[in-house]
Amino acid sequence: MFSLPTGQLGALPVMPVQAMTQQATRHARRVYVGGLPPTANEQSVATFFSHVMSAIGGNTAGPGDAVVNVYINHEKKFAFVEMRSVEEASNAMALDGIIFEGAPVKVRRPSDYNPSLAATLGPSQPNPNLNLAAVGLTPGSAGGLEGPDRIFVGGLPYYFTEGQIRELLESFGPLRGFDLVKDRETGNSKGYAFCVYQDLSVTDIACAALNGIKMGDKTLTVRRANQGVTQPKPEQESVLLHAQQQIALQCASGTHLQKLMLQPGTLATKVLCLTQVVSADELRDDEDYADILEDMRLECGKFGTLVNLVIPRPSPTGDPTPGVGKVFLEYADVESANKARQGLHGRRFGGNQVVAVFYPENRFSQGDYDG
């Protein structure tokens, strides 16, 4: 890879150091380009990206081409484009959605990109003064997923689907763009996503409301992609409160969002609702029902003082009965209910995985078990 002119043996000791430096920065100098047309080859990709980098003013490492190496996977139609410098690779991220040989291509960080390490090597974001118009791009043109209002959503459980995540995010309004990052080999979620709202004024509200929420066994990290956590403005507080209430209602109403485990003190209550625990058939026989009540009382009483235990039974006449298949636990305090939620959620019971969510106290006290 590193050839030396004859007679320059004195330079030999320096070469391993140079090689190590290049290897250490490679993850931050490489760019993933996806959606390439079948006609693409290493030379055409290198020439194209060197040209557009120069056209937008993205070359910062001196004269010459920004691209030093290209690897193409023709079967999967993607390439890794290696730039001369970390800063030039960051500038190339602004080229997402650019038209190459008649087709828009995705420009992303490679899977081995290490953000915390890369931050010590050079700029992580494109220069805001790049002349994107010179190559037919505008900030935010790539599916709405670039620009200062782009939101990073991390800490997502791997088993959550795109539909479930979108349902959560759209509690605050319709999305302009959404991208759940997936492993290129397996197609599985990598546990983080990016989104941009159509109404940019809700960006900070969504970040403040969602950041720190517990989902399953994970905790969400939600912030603007290019900066730290921000607080909503005073005039946005009522919208924030409404959004949190909407999430609470959706969690309690049996939708996909019931799997959200929200922070104590935000939407936690003294009442816990368990699903995937008992079936209607198990509740019909009086003796079986008494055994289930006793087992539940003993097991759930381990987490704190259990004030009330309600397991709705199916009607003998066959009429619909609200809450059948659910178990309601009312504890003396929120702390005990939270301990129970942490201890019970995800546990196996009769071959099923228990789902435990907080339930509104006013609905429980009114005998409303239909949520």
Side-chain angles (χ1 to χ4, degrees):
M1 187 181 220
F2 303 99
S3 59
L4 289 172
T6 306
Q8 292 191 1
L9 295 179
L12 276 174
V14 178
M15 301 318 289
V17 176
Q18 181 182 353
M20 287 171 62
T21 301
Q22 291 203 343
Q23 186 64 34
T25 61
R26 174 174 284 181
H27 74 97
R29 291 187 295 105
R30 287 200 315 164
V31 172
Y32 166 85
V33 180
L36 291 172
T39 53
N41 59 53
E42 282 82 357
Q43 186 58 54
S44 65
V45 171
T47 300
F48 176 80
F49 277 92
S50 287
H51 171 73
V52 295
M53 282 290 289
S54 175
I56 66 174
N59 289 3
T60 56
D65 293 336
V67 178
V68 296
N69 188 37
V70 174
Y71 163 77
I72 289 186
N73 183 317
H74 289 282
E75 181 183 353
K76 297 189 176 179
K77 300 178 182 177
F78 72 82
F80 290 116
V81 179
E82 185 177 344
M83 300 292 178
R84 293 179 299 182
S85 69
V86 172
E87 186 174 4
E88 287 178 337
S90 293
N91 286 341
M93 298 308 294
L95 298 172
D96 187 30
I98 194 167
I99 305 298
F100 173 74
E101 295 185 0
V105 293
K106 293 181 179 179
V107 179
R108 303 279 192 272
R109 295 292 190 181
S111 57
D112 63 349
Y113 180 70
N114 185 326
S116 57
L117 181 57
T120 67
L121 302 173
S124 298
Q125 297 294 323
N127 186 315
N129 298 318
L130 294 174
N131 182 17
L132 297 178
V135 293
L137 290 176
T138 56
S141 63
L145 276 176
E146 291 300 332
D149 293 286
R150 182 180 185 227
I151 296 175
F152 168 79
V153 185
L156 293 165
Y158 299 115
Y159 55 82
F160 264 65
T161 66
E162 289 191 37
Q164 289 172 314
I165 298 166
R166 287 189 72 110
E167 184 181 355
L168 169 66
L169 297 173
E170 287 173 348
S171 301
F172 303 90
L175 297 174
R176 180 199 301 172
F178 172 77
D179 179 25
L180 175 61
V181 181
K182 299 178 181 178
D183 185 277
R184 296 192 189 100
E185 298 298 325
T186 65
N188 295 332
S189 165
K190 296 184 75 171
Y192 64 96
F194 296 93
C195 74
V196 173
Y197 285 94
Q198 288 185 16
D199 180 0
L200 300 181
S201 68
V202 305
T203 301
D204 290 335
I205 300 173
C207 291
L210 295 172
N211 188 58
I213 279 182
K214 293 194 178 296
M215 292 181 74
D217 57 349
K218 293 181 175 289
T219 303
L220 285 187
T221 298
V222 184
R223 56 174 171 75
R224 287 176 182 262
N226 61 351
Q227 60 186 255
V229 177
T230 55
Q231 295 299 318
K233 298 173 184 176
E235 63 269 21
Q236 297 173 329
E237 292 292 345
S238 61
V239 184
L240 170 58
L241 180 61
H242 174 72
Q244 289 175 328
Q245 290 171 342
Q246 284 298 110
I247 294 175
L249 289 173
Q250 291 181 52
C251 287
S253 64
T255 67
H256 292 305
L257 297 185
Q258 68 179 352
K259 291 188 177 181
L260 282 173
M261 294 296 99
L262 302 178
Q263 284 182 312
T266 305
L267 298 169
T269 69
K270 292 185 288 186
V271 181
L272 211 59
C273 174
L274 309 182
T275 54
Q276 309 295 330
V277 181
V278 292
S279 67
D281 290 339
E282 294 173 312
L283 302 173
R284 295 186 193 281
D285 184 85
D286 289 342
E287 289 188 14
D288 289 345
Y289 182 72
D291 288 342
I292 291 171
L293 273 176
E294 186 60 26
D295 289 345
M296 282 290 170
R297 201 179 303 278
L298 286 172
E299 185 62 28
C300 300
K302 295 176 181 178
F303 302 103
T305 304
L306 192 59
V307 177
N308 201 358
L309 168 64
V310 175
I311 306 179
R313 297 181 71 180
S315 169
T317 61
D319 295 331
T321 304
V324 172
K326 300 176 182 177
V327 175
F328 295 90
L329 309 170
E330 182 183 13
Y331 286 90
D333 50 62
V334 172
E335 184 180 358
S336 297
N338 187 50
K339 286 180 182 177
R341 183 191 61 76
Q342 292 175 343
L344 296 170
H345 181 73
R347 278 178 55 174
R348 292 282 176 182
F349 190 91
N352 296 320
Q353 192 169 17
V354 177
V355 175
V357 298
F358 294 118
Y359 197 79
E361 293 173 20
N362 61 331
R363 296 178 68 177
F364 178 74
S365 63
Q366 295 166 4
D368 180 0
Y369 307 135
D370 203 22

Short mmCIF file of all heavy atoms in Angstrom, two decimals, residues 168-228:
data_model
loop_
_atom_site.label_atom_id
_atom_site.label_comp_id
_atom_site.label_asym_id
_atom_site.label_seq_id
_atom_site.Cartn_x
_atom_site.Cartn_y
_atom_site.Cartn_z
N LEU A 168 -44.98 6.23 18.00
CA LEU A 168 -44.52 7.00 19.15
C LEU A 168 -44.15 8.42 18.74
O LEU A 168 -44.61 9.41 19.33
CB LEU A 168 -43.31 6.31 19.78
CG LEU A 168 -42.53 7.11 20.82
CD1 LEU A 168 -43.40 7.34 22.06
CD2 LEU A 168 -41.25 6.41 21.20
N LEU A 169 -43.33 8.55 17.69
CA LEU A 169 -42.85 9.86 17.26
C LEU A 169 -43.98 10.74 16.75
O LEU A 169 -43.98 11.96 16.95
CB LEU A 169 -41.79 9.69 16.17
CG LEU A 169 -40.51 8.95 16.58
CD1 LEU A 169 -39.63 8.69 15.37
CD2 LEU A 169 -39.74 9.76 17.63
N GLU A 170 -44.97 10.14 16.10
CA GLU A 170 -46.06 10.93 15.52
C GLU A 170 -47.09 11.37 16.55
O GLU A 170 -48.08 12.01 16.19
CB GLU A 170 -46.71 10.13 14.39
CG GLU A 170 -45.82 10.05 13.15
CD GLU A 170 -46.35 9.13 12.07
OE1 GLU A 170 -47.29 8.37 12.36
OE2 GLU A 170 -45.81 9.16 10.94
N SER A 171 -46.85 11.05 17.84
CA SER A 171 -47.66 11.63 18.91
C SER A 171 -47.54 13.16 18.90
O SER A 171 -48.40 13.86 19.42
CB SER A 171 -47.21 11.11 20.28
OG SER A 171 -47.32 9.71 20.34
N PHE A 172 -46.47 13.66 18.29
CA PHE A 172 -46.20 15.10 18.30
C PHE A 172 -46.52 15.76 16.96
O PHE A 172 -46.42 16.97 16.83
CB PHE A 172 -44.72 15.35 18.64
CG PHE A 172 -44.33 14.75 19.95
CD1 PHE A 172 -43.85 13.46 20.04
CD2 PHE A 172 -44.48 15.46 21.13
CE1 PHE A 172 -43.52 12.89 21.24
CE2 PHE A 172 -44.14 14.91 22.35
CZ PHE A 172 -43.66 13.61 22.40
N GLY A 173 -46.88 14.96 15.97
CA GLY A 173 -47.21 15.53 14.67
C GLY A 173 -46.62 14.69 13.55
O GLY A 173 -45.78 13.82 13.78
N PRO A 174 -47.06 14.94 12.31
CA PRO A 174 -46.58 14.16 11.17
C PRO A 174 -45.09 14.39 10.91
O PRO A 174 -44.55 15.46 11.17
CB PRO A 174 -47.44 14.67 10.00
CG PRO A 174 -47.95 16.00 10.44
CD PRO A 174 -48.07 15.95 11.93
N LEU A 175 -44.45 13.34 10.39
CA LEU A 175 -43.01 13.39 10.11
C LEU A 175 -42.76 13.77 8.66
O LEU A 175 -43.46 13.32 7.76
CB LEU A 175 -42.37 12.04 10.40
CG LEU A 175 -42.43 11.54 11.84
CD1 LEU A 175 -41.89 10.12 11.92
CD2 LEU A 175 -41.65 12.45 12.77
N ARG A 176 -41.73 14.57 8.45
CA ARG A 176 -41.28 14.86 7.09
C ARG A 176 -40.36 13.75 6.60
O ARG A 176 -40.35 13.40 5.41
CB ARG A 176 -40.52 16.19 7.06
CG ARG A 176 -40.03 16.57 5.67
CD ARG A 176 -38.92 17.60 5.71
NE ARG A 176 -39.33 18.82 6.37
CZ ARG A 176 -38.50 19.81 6.65
NH1 ARG A 176 -37.22 19.70 6.36
NH2 ARG A 176 -38.94 20.90 7.26
N GLY A 177 -39.59 13.19 7.51
CA GLY A 177 -38.67 12.12 7.15
C GLY A 177 -38.41 11.23 8.34
O GLY A 177 -38.46 11.67 9.50
N PHE A 178 -38.15 9.94 8.09
CA PHE A 178 -37.88 8.97 9.16
C PHE A 178 -36.95 7.90 8.62
O PHE A 178 -37.13 7.41 7.50
CB PHE A 178 -39.18 8.34 9.65
CG PHE A 178 -38.97 7.19 10.61
CD1 PHE A 178 -38.63 7.44 11.93
CD2 PHE A 178 -39.09 5.88 10.19
CE1 PHE A 178 -38.43 6.40 12.82
CE2 PHE A 178 -38.90 4.82 11.07
CZ PHE A 178 -38.56 5.08 12.39
N ASP A 179 -35.93 7.54 9.40
CA ASP A 179 -34.98 6.51 8.97
C ASP A 179 -34.57 5.68 10.17
O ASP A 179 -33.86 6.17 11.06
CB ASP A 179 -33.75 7.17 8.32
CG ASP A 179 -32.73 6.13 7.86
OD1 ASP A 179 -33.12 4.98 7.61
OD2 ASP A 179 -31.53 6.48 7.76
N LEU A 180 -35.04 4.43 10.23
CA LEU A 180 -34.59 3.49 11.25
C LEU A 180 -33.33 2.82 10.72
O LEU A 180 -33.35 2.17 9.68
CB LEU A 180 -35.67 2.44 11.53
CG LEU A 180 -35.28 1.32 12.51
CD1 LEU A 180 -34.93 1.88 13.88
CD2 LEU A 180 -36.39 0.29 12.62
N VAL A 181 -32.22 2.99 11.42
CA VAL A 181 -30.94 2.48 10.94
C VAL A 181 -30.88 0.96 11.17
O VAL A 181 -31.13 0.49 12.28
CB VAL A 181 -29.76 3.18 11.65
CG1 VAL A 181 -28.43 2.64 11.13
CG2 VAL A 181 -29.84 4.69 11.43
N LYS A 182 -30.55 0.22 10.11
CA LYS A 182 -30.54 -1.23 10.18
C LYS A 182 -29.18 -1.79 9.78
O LYS A 182 -28.43 -1.15 9.03
CB LYS A 182 -31.62 -1.81 9.24
CG LYS A 182 -33.04 -1.37 9.60
CD LYS A 182 -34.04 -1.93 8.62
CE LYS A 182 -35.45 -1.48 8.95
NZ LYS A 182 -36.44 -1.99 7.97
N ASP A 183 -28.90 -2.98 10.27
CA ASP A 183 -27.68 -3.68 9.89
C ASP A 183 -27.76 -4.06 8.41
O ASP A 183 -28.77 -4.61 7.96
CB ASP A 183 -27.52 -4.94 10.73
CG ASP A 183 -26.20 -5.64 10.46
OD1 ASP A 183 -26.14 -6.40 9.47
OD2 ASP A 183 -25.24 -5.45 11.22
N ARG A 184 -26.72 -3.76 7.66
CA ARG A 184 -26.78 -3.97 6.21
C ARG A 184 -26.78 -5.46 5.84
O ARG A 184 -27.27 -5.84 4.79
CB ARG A 184 -25.59 -3.28 5.53
CG ARG A 184 -25.63 -1.77 5.69
CD ARG A 184 -24.64 -1.09 4.77
NE ARG A 184 -24.57 0.32 5.13
CZ ARG A 184 -23.62 0.85 5.86
NH1 ARG A 184 -22.65 0.10 6.31
NH2 ARG A 184 -23.63 2.14 6.17
N GLU A 185 -26.23 -6.29 6.70
CA GLU A 185 -26.18 -7.72 6.40
C GLU A 185 -27.47 -8.44 6.79
O GLU A 185 -28.01 -9.23 6.03
CB GLU A 185 -24.99 -8.37 7.13
CG GLU A 185 -23.63 -7.81 6.70
CD GLU A 185 -23.35 -8.05 5.22
OE1 GLU A 185 -23.76 -9.09 4.70
OE2 GLU A 185 -22.72 -7.18 4.59
N THR A 186 -27.98 -8.14 8.00
CA THR A 186 -29.13 -8.88 8.52
C THR A 186 -30.46 -8.16 8.30
O THR A 186 -31.53 -8.79 8.32
CB THR A 186 -28.98 -9.13 10.03
OG1 THR A 186 -29.00 -7.86 10.73
CG2 THR A 186 -27.66 -9.83 10.32
N GLY A 187 -30.41 -6.83 8.13
CA GLY A 187 -31.65 -6.07 8.00
C GLY A 187 -32.31 -5.77 9.33
O GLY A 187 -33.38 -5.18 9.39
N ASN A 188 -31.65 -6.16 10.44
CA ASN A 188 -32.21 -5.93 11.77
C ASN A 188 -31.93 -4.51 12.25
O ASN A 188 -30.93 -3.89 11.87
CB ASN A 188 -31.62 -6.92 12.78
CG ASN A 188 -32.01 -8.35 12.47
OD1 ASN A 188 -33.06 -8.59 11.89
ND2 ASN A 188 -31.17 -9.30 12.84
N SER A 189 -32.81 -4.00 13.10
CA SER A 189 -32.63 -2.67 13.67
C SER A 189 -31.34 -2.60 14.47
O SER A 189 -30.97 -3.55 15.18
CB SER A 189 -33.82 -2.33 14.59
OG SER A 189 -33.52 -1.22 15.41
N LYS A 190 -30.65 -1.46 14.37
CA LYS A 190 -29.44 -1.24 15.17
C LYS A 190 -29.74 -0.44 16.43
O LYS A 190 -28.83 -0.06 17.17
CB LYS A 190 -28.38 -0.53 14.33
CG LYS A 190 -27.91 -1.37 13.14
CD LYS A 190 -26.78 -0.71 12.37
CE LYS A 190 -25.47 -0.82 13.14
NZ LYS A 190 -24.32 -0.37 12.30
N GLY A 191 -31.04 -0.18 16.68
CA GLY A 191 -31.42 0.45 17.94
C GLY A 191 -31.42 1.96 17.93
O GLY A 191 -31.54 2.57 18.98
N TYR A 192 -31.29 2.57 16.75
CA TYR A 192 -31.41 4.03 16.71
C TYR A 192 -31.98 4.49 15.37
O TYR A 192 -31.95 3.74 14.38
CB TYR A 192 -30.06 4.72 17.00
CG TYR A 192 -28.95 4.48 16.00
CD1 TYR A 192 -28.71 5.38 14.97
CD2 TYR A 192 -28.13 3.36 16.09
CE1 TYR A 192 -27.68 5.18 14.06
CE2 TYR A 192 -27.11 3.14 15.20
CZ TYR A 192 -26.88 4.06 14.18
OH TYR A 192 -25.87 3.85 13.28
N ALA A 193 -32.52 5.69 15.38
CA ALA A 193 -33.19 6.21 14.19
C ALA A 193 -33.00 7.73 14.12
O ALA A 193 -32.54 8.35 15.08
CB ALA A 193 -34.68 5.87 14.23
N PHE A 194 -33.39 8.29 12.97
CA PHE A 194 -33.37 9.74 12.78
C PHE A 194 -34.73 10.16 12.23
O PHE A 194 -35.38 9.40 11.49
CB PHE A 194 -32.27 10.16 11.81
CG PHE A 194 -30.88 9.89 12.30
CD1 PHE A 194 -30.23 8.70 11.99
CD2 PHE A 194 -30.23 10.80 13.11
CE1 PHE A 194 -28.96 8.43 12.45
CE2 PHE A 194 -28.95 10.55 13.57
CZ PHE A 194 -28.32 9.36 13.24
N CYS A 195 -35.17 11.35 12.60
CA CYS A 195 -36.43 11.85 12.05
C CYS A 195 -36.41 13.37 12.00
O CYS A 195 -35.60 14.03 12.66
CB CYS A 195 -37.63 11.36 12.88
SG CYS A 195 -37.81 12.19 14.49
N VAL A 196 -37.30 13.91 11.17
CA VAL A 196 -37.53 15.36 11.10
C VAL A 196 -39.04 15.56 11.02
O VAL A 196 -39.72 14.85 10.27
CB VAL A 196 -36.84 15.99 9.88
CG1 VAL A 196 -37.24 17.46 9.73
CG2 VAL A 196 -35.34 15.88 9.99
N TYR A 197 -39.57 16.50 11.81
CA TYR A 197 -41.00 16.79 11.81
C TYR A 197 -41.36 17.78 10.71
O TYR A 197 -40.55 18.65 10.36
CB TYR A 197 -41.44 17.33 13.16
CG TYR A 197 -41.52 16.27 14.23
CD1 TYR A 197 -40.45 16.03 15.07
CD2 TYR A 197 -42.66 15.48 14.38
CE1 TYR A 197 -40.50 15.04 16.04
CE2 TYR A 197 -42.73 14.49 15.33
CZ TYR A 197 -41.64 14.27 16.16
OH TYR A 197 -41.70 13.27 17.10
N GLN A 198 -42.59 17.65 10.19
CA GLN A 198 -43.06 18.63 9.22
C GLN A 198 -43.15 20.01 9.85
O GLN A 198 -42.78 21.01 9.24
CB GLN A 198 -44.44 18.21 8.68
CG GLN A 198 -44.38 17.01 7.74
CD GLN A 198 -45.73 16.68 7.13
OE1 GLN A 198 -46.65 17.49 7.16
NE2 GLN A 198 -45.85 15.49 6.57
N ASP A 199 -43.64 20.06 11.10
CA ASP A 199 -43.69 21.31 11.85
C ASP A 199 -42.44 21.39 12.70
O ASP A 199 -42.33 20.75 13.75
CB ASP A 199 -44.95 21.34 12.73
CG ASP A 199 -45.06 22.64 13.53
OD1 ASP A 199 -44.16 23.51 13.40
OD2 ASP A 199 -46.03 22.78 14.30
N LEU A 200 -41.46 22.16 12.27
CA LEU A 200 -40.17 22.20 12.94
C LEU A 200 -40.25 22.77 14.36
O LEU A 200 -39.35 22.56 15.17
CB LEU A 200 -39.17 23.02 12.11
CG LEU A 200 -38.91 22.49 10.69
CD1 LEU A 200 -37.89 23.37 9.98
CD2 LEU A 200 -38.42 21.04 10.73
N SER A 201 -41.35 23.46 14.68
CA SER A 201 -41.47 24.07 16.01
C SER A 201 -41.66 23.03 17.11
O SER A 201 -41.51 23.35 18.29
CB SER A 201 -42.64 25.07 16.03
OG SER A 201 -43.88 24.38 15.91
N VAL A 202 -42.00 21.79 16.74
CA VAL A 202 -42.19 20.77 17.79
C VAL A 202 -40.90 19.97 18.05
O VAL A 202 -40.90 19.08 18.89
CB VAL A 202 -43.33 19.78 17.43
CG1 VAL A 202 -44.61 20.52 17.13
CG2 VAL A 202 -42.94 18.89 16.26
N THR A 203 -39.83 20.31 17.36
CA THR A 203 -38.58 19.55 17.50
C THR A 203 -38.12 19.46 18.94
O THR A 203 -37.89 18.38 19.50
CB THR A 203 -37.48 20.18 16.62
OG1 THR A 203 -37.90 20.17 15.26
CG2 THR A 203 -36.18 19.39 16.75
N ASP A 204 -38.00 20.62 19.60
CA ASP A 204 -37.52 20.65 20.99
C ASP A 204 -38.53 20.03 21.95
O ASP A 204 -38.16 19.43 22.95
CB ASP A 204 -37.20 22.09 21.42
CG ASP A 204 -35.97 22.64 20.71
OD1 ASP A 204 -35.13 21.81 20.30
OD2 ASP A 204 -35.86 23.86 20.55
N ILE A 205 -39.83 20.18 21.63
CA ILE A 205 -40.86 19.60 22.48
C ILE A 205 -40.75 18.08 22.48
O ILE A 205 -40.76 17.43 23.52
CB ILE A 205 -42.26 20.01 21.99
CG1 ILE A 205 -42.41 21.54 22.01
CG2 ILE A 205 -43.35 19.36 22.84
CD1 ILE A 205 -43.69 22.03 21.38
N ALA A 206 -40.61 17.51 21.28
CA ALA A 206 -40.49 16.05 21.17
C ALA A 206 -39.24 15.55 21.88
O ALA A 206 -39.29 14.53 22.58
CB ALA A 206 -40.46 15.65 19.69
N CYS A 207 -38.14 16.26 21.72
CA CYS A 207 -36.89 15.85 22.38
C CYS A 207 -37.05 15.85 23.90
O CYS A 207 -36.65 14.90 24.59
CB CYS A 207 -35.74 16.77 21.97
SG CYS A 207 -35.23 16.60 20.24
N ALA A 208 -37.65 16.92 24.43
CA ALA A 208 -37.81 17.05 25.88
C ALA A 208 -38.77 16.00 26.43
O ALA A 208 -38.56 15.45 27.52
CB ALA A 208 -38.30 18.45 26.23
N ALA A 209 -39.83 15.70 25.68
CA ALA A 209 -40.84 14.76 26.17
C ALA A 209 -40.37 13.31 26.10
O ALA A 209 -40.69 12.50 26.96
CB ALA A 209 -42.13 14.92 25.36
N LEU A 210 -39.60 12.98 25.08
CA LEU A 210 -39.22 11.59 24.85
C LEU A 210 -37.89 11.20 25.48
O LEU A 210 -37.66 10.03 25.80
CB LEU A 210 -39.16 11.31 23.34
CG LEU A 210 -40.48 11.40 22.58
CD1 LEU A 210 -40.24 11.30 21.08
CD2 LEU A 210 -41.43 10.32 23.04
N ASN A 211 -37.00 12.17 25.66
CA ASN A 211 -35.67 11.84 26.20
C ASN A 211 -35.80 11.30 27.62
O ASN A 211 -36.42 11.91 28.49
CB ASN A 211 -34.78 13.09 26.20
CG ASN A 211 -33.35 12.75 26.57
OD1 ASN A 211 -32.71 11.93 25.91
ND2 ASN A 211 -32.86 13.34 27.64
N GLY A 212 -35.21 10.13 27.85
CA GLY A 212 -35.23 9.52 29.18
C GLY A 212 -36.37 8.55 29.42
O GLY A 212 -36.42 7.89 30.46
N ILE A 213 -37.32 8.46 28.47
CA ILE A 213 -38.43 7.51 28.62
C ILE A 213 -37.89 6.08 28.54
O ILE A 213 -37.00 5.78 27.76
CB ILE A 213 -39.49 7.74 27.52
CG1 ILE A 213 -40.40 8.91 27.89
CG2 ILE A 213 -40.32 6.49 27.26
CD1 ILE A 213 -41.50 9.18 26.90
N LYS A 214 -38.43 5.22 29.39
CA LYS A 214 -38.03 3.82 29.38
C LYS A 214 -38.91 3.03 28.41
O LYS A 214 -40.13 3.09 28.48
CB LYS A 214 -38.11 3.23 30.78
CG LYS A 214 -37.09 3.83 31.74
CD LYS A 214 -36.96 3.02 33.01
CE LYS A 214 -35.89 3.62 33.92
NZ LYS A 214 -34.54 3.57 33.31
N MET A 215 -38.27 2.31 27.51
CA MET A 215 -38.98 1.44 26.57
C MET A 215 -38.44 0.03 26.78
O MET A 215 -37.28 -0.24 26.48
CB MET A 215 -38.73 1.89 25.12
CG MET A 215 -39.35 3.22 24.77
SD MET A 215 -39.06 3.66 23.04
CE MET A 215 -40.20 2.57 22.21
N GLY A 216 -39.29 -0.84 27.31
CA GLY A 216 -38.82 -2.18 27.60
C GLY A 216 -37.69 -2.12 28.61
O GLY A 216 -37.82 -1.53 29.68
N ASP A 217 -36.54 -2.69 28.25
CA ASP A 217 -35.39 -2.68 29.15
C ASP A 217 -34.39 -1.59 28.80
O ASP A 217 -33.26 -1.59 29.29
CB ASP A 217 -34.70 -4.05 29.12
CG ASP A 217 -34.26 -4.44 27.71
OD1 ASP A 217 -34.67 -3.76 26.76
OD2 ASP A 217 -33.51 -5.42 27.58
N LYS A 218 -34.79 -0.66 27.95
CA LYS A 218 -33.87 0.40 27.52
C LYS A 218 -34.42 1.79 27.85
O LYS A 218 -35.60 1.94 28.15
CB LYS A 218 -33.60 0.29 26.00
CG LYS A 218 -32.83 -0.97 25.61
CD LYS A 218 -32.60 -1.00 24.11
CE LYS A 218 -31.72 -2.19 23.73
NZ LYS A 218 -30.33 -1.98 24.18
N THR A 219 -33.54 2.78 27.79
CA THR A 219 -33.93 4.17 28.04
C THR A 219 -33.61 5.00 26.80
O THR A 219 -32.50 4.95 26.28
CB THR A 219 -33.16 4.74 29.24
OG1 THR A 219 -33.41 3.93 30.39
CG2 THR A 219 -33.60 6.18 29.52
N LEU A 220 -34.60 5.75 26.33
CA LEU A 220 -34.43 6.55 25.11
C LEU A 220 -33.48 7.73 25.32
O LEU A 220 -33.50 8.38 26.35
CB LEU A 220 -35.77 7.10 24.64
CG LEU A 220 -36.76 6.16 23.96
CD1 LEU A 220 -37.93 6.97 23.43
CD2 LEU A 220 -36.11 5.39 22.84
N THR A 221 -32.67 7.96 24.30
CA THR A 221 -31.89 9.20 24.20
C THR A 221 -32.41 9.92 22.97
O THR A 221 -32.27 9.43 21.84
CB THR A 221 -30.39 8.91 24.03
OG1 THR A 221 -29.91 8.22 25.19
CG2 THR A 221 -29.61 10.21 23.87
N VAL A 222 -33.03 11.07 23.17
CA VAL A 222 -33.64 11.81 22.06
C VAL A 222 -33.15 13.25 22.10
O VAL A 222 -33.35 13.95 23.10
CB VAL A 222 -35.18 11.77 22.13
CG1 VAL A 222 -35.80 12.46 20.92
CG2 VAL A 222 -35.69 10.33 22.23
N ARG A 223 -32.50 13.68 21.04
CA ARG A 223 -31.94 15.04 20.98
C ARG A 223 -31.74 15.44 19.52
O ARG A 223 -31.82 14.59 18.63
CB ARG A 223 -30.60 15.09 21.72
CG ARG A 223 -29.59 14.08 21.20
CD ARG A 223 -28.24 14.24 21.83
NE ARG A 223 -27.33 13.16 21.50
CZ ARG A 223 -26.71 13.01 20.33
NH1 ARG A 223 -26.93 13.87 19.36
NH2 ARG A 223 -25.90 11.99 20.11
N ARG A 224 -31.52 16.74 19.33
CA ARG A 224 -31.15 17.16 17.98
C ARG A 224 -29.85 16.44 17.61
O ARG A 224 -28.95 16.31 18.43
CB ARG A 224 -30.92 18.67 17.94
CG ARG A 224 -32.23 19.48 18.01
CD ARG A 224 -31.92 20.96 18.05
NE ARG A 224 -33.13 21.76 18.17
CZ ARG A 224 -33.74 22.34 17.14
NH1 ARG A 224 -33.24 22.21 15.93
NH2 ARG A 224 -34.84 23.05 17.32
N ALA A 225 -29.75 15.99 16.36
CA ALA A 225 -28.62 15.16 15.96
C ALA A 225 -27.29 15.91 16.03
O ALA A 225 -26.24 15.30 16.21
CB ALA A 225 -28.85 14.63 14.54
N ASN A 226 -27.34 17.23 15.91
CA ASN A 226 -26.08 17.97 15.86
C ASN A 226 -25.81 18.80 17.11
O ASN A 226 -24.98 19.69 17.11
CB ASN A 226 -26.06 18.89 14.63
CG ASN A 226 -27.18 19.91 14.67
OD1 ASN A 226 -28.07 19.84 15.51
ND2 ASN A 226 -27.15 20.87 13.75
N GLN A 227 -26.54 18.52 18.20
CA GLN A 227 -26.27 19.26 19.43
C GLN A 227 -26.83 18.51 20.62
O GLN A 227 -27.46 17.47 20.48
CB GLN A 227 -26.86 20.66 19.37
CG GLN A 227 -28.37 20.69 19.18
CD GLN A 227 -28.88 22.11 18.97
OE1 GLN A 227 -29.46 22.69 19.85
NE2 GLN A 227 -28.67 22.65 17.77
N GLY A 228 -26.58 19.03 21.80
CA GLY A 228 -27.03 18.39 23.03
C GLY A 228 -28.51 18.60 23.28
O GLY A 228 -29.24 19.13 22.46
#
